[in-house]
């Protein structure tokens, strides 16, 4: 079983918890966040990103790996809620990572800047 299988299963659960699919905001954390809308889950993403940074910094001072892993899991989970809200899935992210495979980070960043200039006509 692959990691992408686990992400796909989690994405399916998140999809099933959408209020439009019968998810009850009174019984489901995911349904509650989706019902409240972007401000709720985007706030959680910001909080989890900050906690991830703090756990990573703690690793430099003897912090525990499981804390960093746990915070990244929380960040990914809340990011998956955002993806679902906007009709996207982990497969879309994996496809983007695959597209970037073999491209250096500096090359990829330069390409994105060039594409942005083309879009804005600069």
């Amino acid at each position: 079983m692959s990691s992408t299988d686990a992400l796909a299963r989690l994405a399916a659960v998140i999809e099933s918890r959408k209020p439009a699919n019968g998810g009850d905001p009174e019984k489901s954390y995911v349904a509650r966040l989706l019902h409240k809308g972007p401000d709720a889950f985007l706030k959680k993403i910001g909080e989890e990103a900050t906690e991830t940074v703090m756990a990573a910094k703690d690793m430099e001072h003897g912090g525990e790996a499981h804390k960093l892993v746990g915070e990244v899991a929380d960040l990914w989970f809340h990011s998956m809620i955002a993806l679902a809200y906007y009709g996207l899935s982990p497969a879309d992210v994996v496809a983007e990572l695959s597209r970037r495979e073999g491209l250096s980070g500096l090359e990829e960043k330069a390409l994105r800047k060039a594409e942005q200039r083309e879009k804005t006509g600069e």
Side-chain angles (χ1 to χ4, degrees):
M1 190 158 316
S2 75
S3 300
T4 54
D5 292 337
L7 291 174
R9 285 192 310 278
L10 179 55
V13 169
I14 291 169
E15 190 67 29
S16 75
R17 304 279 167 83
K18 285 182 172 181
N21 295 335
D24 183 350
E26 296 297 318
K27 297 180 181 175
S28 165
Y29 174 72
V30 171
R32 184 176 309 137
L33 283 177
L34 291 168
H35 176 73
K36 288 181 178 180
D39 285 348
F41 59 77
L42 295 175
K43 180 180 177 184
K44 285 303 296 180
I45 290 171
E47 290 171 6
E48 299 303 343
T50 299
E51 291 170 3
T52 298
V53 169
M54 291 168 38
K57 290 298 285 179
D58 286 347
M59 290 292 294
E60 295 180 21
H61 305 287
E64 299 174 36
H66 73 91
K67 290 182 180 179
L68 177 57
V69 169
E71 294 303 341
V72 171
D74 291 345
L75 178 59
W76 286 15
F77 174 75
H78 288 90
S79 295
M80 288 177 66
I81 292 172
L83 288 170
Y85 183 86
Y86 294 110
L88 300 166
S89 73
D92 296 306
V93 177
V94 171
E96 176 61 13
L97 291 171
S98 293
R99 183 191 69 78
R100 294 179 185 185
E101 190 174 358
L103 195 62
S104 85
L106 295 175
E107 290 172 327
E108 196 276 331
K109 186 174 181 178
L111 284 173
R112 276 190 287 137
K113 284 184 178 182
E115 289 171 359
Q116 186 61 33
R117 281 194 301 271
E118 286 178 19
K119 287 179 185 177
T120 61
E122 294 178 4

